[in-house]
Amino acid sequence: MSLRIRKDDEVIVLAGNYKGMKGKVLRVFPDRQRAIVEGVNYIQRHTPPNPRNREGGIVKREGTIHMSNLALYCSNCDKGVRFKTVVEKDDKKRVCVHCGETL
Ligand SMILES: [Zn+2]
């Protein structure tokens, strides 16, 4: 199965607590079918003071989200869309199935 979502894609969350949020894919974990999306699914960790971090405190970072909950975002349709892959002169393009916009 080819990867549907790649790093630097603009995606929208389809389900769950973050439904409707858009962001850029920062990282993908193909083996786990999960991705990290900028600004989505922040995890707050309360870190007690330790030798590396004397102050302790709250550390924020993005958690992973399952790829089945993500769709590529089409700015033309203003929503998450399905896409098809079009081969054009040795170049593979992903195209929105609704409007034909290159994603
Ligand atoms: Zn579109």
Side-chain angles (χ1 to χ4, degrees):
M1 189 182 124
S2 66
L3 268 183
R4 295 171 55 83
I5 287 169
R6 299 187 299 219
K7 189 172 178 286
D8 293 332
D9 281 345
E10 183 87 5
V11 294
I12 189 162
V13 182
L14 298 176
N17 294 339
Y18 302 90
K19 190 175 174 180
M21 280 186 71
K22 288 188 299 238
K24 197 173 83 167
V25 176
L26 301 177
R27 225 179 137 182
V28 289
F29 301 92
D31 50 332
R32 289 194 288 147
Q33 289 285 296
R34 298 183 77 86
I36 291 176
V37 181
E38 192 172 40
V40 176
N41 198 15
Y42 269 118
I43 296 171
Q44 285 196 1
R45 285 228 170 120
H46 296 261
T47 311
N50 62 59
R52 275 192 304 176
N53 180 355
R54 299 176 78 92
E55 299 285 312
I58 299 170
V59 177
K60 263 183 154 188
R61 62 183 186 89
E62 284 100 342
T64 61
I65 187 162
H66 200 267
M67 286 194 204
S68 64
N69 291 333
L70 299 173
L72 275 186
Y73 176 73
C74 175
S75 55
N76 201 32
C77 295
D78 192 26
K79 63 179 181 180
V81 294
R82 283 209 298 264
F83 61 91
K84 59 186 175 187
T85 305
V86 177
V87 182
E88 206 173 68
K89 295 179 195 153
D90 300 332
D91 209 24
K92 273 190 189 167
K93 286 199 309 186
R94 293 178 307 173
V95 171
C96 171
V97 296
H98 298 285
C99 69
E101 185 92 344
T102 303
L103 299 171

